[in-house]
Amino acid sequence: MKTPMDNTHRVDDTEENLEKCICKMCPTFKKNNLADYPPTALFCARGKSEIPSDIKTTNCYCLGCDIFIKHGLVISHLCVHR
Ligand code: SF4
Ligand code: SF4
Protein backbone atom coordinates (compact mmCIF):
# COMPACT_ATOMS: atom_id res chain seq x y z
CA MET A 1 0.00 0.00 0.00
CA LYS A 2 1.25 3.46 -0.86
CA THR A 3 1.81 5.91 1.93
CA PRO A 4 2.70 9.62 1.71
CA MET A 5 6.24 8.69 2.75
CA ASP A 6 6.74 6.96 -0.59
CA ASN A 7 7.00 10.38 -2.22
CA THR A 8 9.52 11.88 0.18
CA HIS A 9 12.30 12.02 -2.40
CA ARG A 10 10.09 13.21 -5.22
CA VAL A 11 10.24 16.90 -6.00
CA ASP A 12 7.36 18.38 -7.98
CA ASP A 13 7.88 20.87 -10.78
CA THR A 14 5.94 23.75 -9.24
CA GLU A 15 6.33 27.53 -9.21
CA GLU A 16 6.78 27.38 -5.45
CA ASN A 17 9.68 24.94 -5.74
CA LEU A 18 11.21 26.91 -8.60
CA GLU A 19 11.34 29.98 -6.39
CA LYS A 20 13.27 28.03 -3.78
CA CYS A 21 15.83 26.67 -6.25
CA ILE A 22 19.18 28.37 -5.69
CA CYS A 23 20.90 26.94 -8.76
CA LYS A 24 21.08 30.34 -10.42
CA MET A 25 23.51 31.50 -7.72
CA CYS A 26 25.79 28.48 -8.05
CA PRO A 27 29.23 28.70 -9.71
CA THR A 28 28.65 25.62 -11.85
CA PHE A 29 25.40 27.09 -13.14
CA LYS A 30 26.99 30.41 -14.06
CA LYS A 31 30.14 28.96 -15.56
CA ASN A 32 28.22 26.67 -17.91
CA ASN A 33 25.39 29.14 -18.68
CA LEU A 34 22.84 26.53 -17.68
CA ALA A 35 20.07 29.13 -17.85
CA ASP A 36 20.41 28.91 -21.64
CA TYR A 37 19.45 25.22 -21.83
CA PRO A 38 16.32 23.40 -20.72
CA PRO A 39 15.15 22.78 -18.08
CA THR A 40 17.05 25.94 -16.87
CA ALA A 41 16.64 25.19 -13.13
CA LEU A 42 14.97 22.88 -10.60
CA PHE A 43 16.94 19.91 -11.88
CA CYS A 44 15.84 17.77 -8.92
CA ALA A 45 12.32 17.82 -10.36
CA ARG A 46 12.88 18.33 -14.06
CA GLY A 47 15.93 16.17 -14.64
CA LYS A 48 19.45 17.02 -15.72
CA SER A 49 20.44 19.86 -18.00
CA GLU A 50 20.12 19.28 -21.73
CA ILE A 51 23.28 21.24 -22.44
CA PRO A 52 24.99 19.40 -25.33
CA SER A 53 28.54 19.72 -23.97
CA ASP A 54 29.93 18.28 -20.76
CA ILE A 55 29.25 20.40 -17.71
CA LYS A 56 32.43 21.67 -16.08
CA THR A 57 31.53 21.16 -12.45
CA THR A 58 32.69 23.22 -9.53
CA ASN A 59 30.65 23.88 -6.42
CA CYS A 60 27.06 22.71 -6.10
CA TYR A 61 24.69 24.72 -3.89
CA CYS A 62 22.03 22.01 -3.71
CA LEU A 63 23.20 20.89 -0.30
CA GLY A 64 22.23 24.26 1.13
CA CYS A 65 18.87 24.37 -0.61
CA ASP A 66 15.61 24.00 1.35
CA ILE A 67 14.23 21.56 -1.19
CA PHE A 68 17.28 19.33 -1.03
CA ILE A 69 17.00 19.13 2.74
CA LYS A 70 13.20 18.81 2.88
CA HIS A 71 13.11 15.90 0.42
CA GLY A 72 16.15 14.13 1.85
CA LEU A 73 18.01 14.22 -1.45
CA VAL A 74 21.46 12.68 -1.39
CA ILE A 75 23.34 13.23 -4.63
CA SER A 76 24.45 16.75 -5.50
CA HIS A 77 25.19 18.24 -8.94
CA LEU A 78 21.68 17.34 -10.02
CA CYS A 79 22.11 19.34 -13.22
CA VAL A 80 24.55 16.59 -14.28
CA HIS A 81 23.23 13.48 -12.58
CA ARG A 82 19.48 13.66 -12.17
S1 SF4 B 1 18.00 20.73 -4.82
FE1 SF4 B 1 19.33 21.79 -6.31
S2 SF4 B 1 18.24 21.57 -8.27
FE2 SF4 B 1 16.77 21.16 -6.61
S3 SF4 B 1 15.80 23.09 -6.18
FE3 SF4 B 1 17.52 22.92 -4.78
S4 SF4 B 1 19.22 23.98 -5.78
FE4 SF4 B 1 17.68 23.55 -7.36
S1 SF4 C 1 22.33 21.22 -9.50
FE1 SF4 C 1 23.94 21.94 -8.11
S2 SF4 C 1 25.74 22.20 -9.46
FE2 SF4 C 1 23.95 22.13 -10.75
S3 SF4 C 1 23.35 24.25 -11.04
FE3 SF4 C 1 22.14 23.46 -9.32
S4 SF4 C 1 23.30 24.01 -7.49
FE4 SF4 C 1 24.67 24.17 -9.25
Side-chain angles (χ1 to χ4, degrees):
M1 199 176 83
K2 272 197 167 264
T3 66
M5 287 301 285
D6 292 336
N7 290 328
T8 304
H9 300 297
R10 203 186 95 183
V11 181
D12 290 324
D13 183 3
T14 62
E15 275 300 315
E16 193 189 349
N17 285 343
L18 181 61
E19 276 172 29
K20 290 182 187 155
C21 178
I22 55 174
C23 283
K24 55 187 171 295
M25 298 190 285
C26 145
T28 299
F29 189 89
K30 292 181 190 171
K31 191 174 168 185
N32 295 276
N33 299 313
L34 295 184
D36 294 343
Y37 306 92
T40 68
L42 201 60
F43 304 104
C44 52
R46 298 172 172 177
K48 65 183 180 182
S49 173
E50 291 175 23
I51 186 172
S53 53
D54 287 341
I55 294 176
K56 294 166 201 70
T57 52
T58 53
N59 297 10
C60 175
Y61 280 12
C62 285
L63 280 73
C65 164
D66 287 347
I67 294 184
F68 194 91
I69 296 160
K70 180 182 165 197
H71 291 275
L73 303 183
V74 180
I75 299 168
S76 63
H77 293 94
L78 295 161
C79 54
V80 183
H81 300 300
R82 190 71 166 187

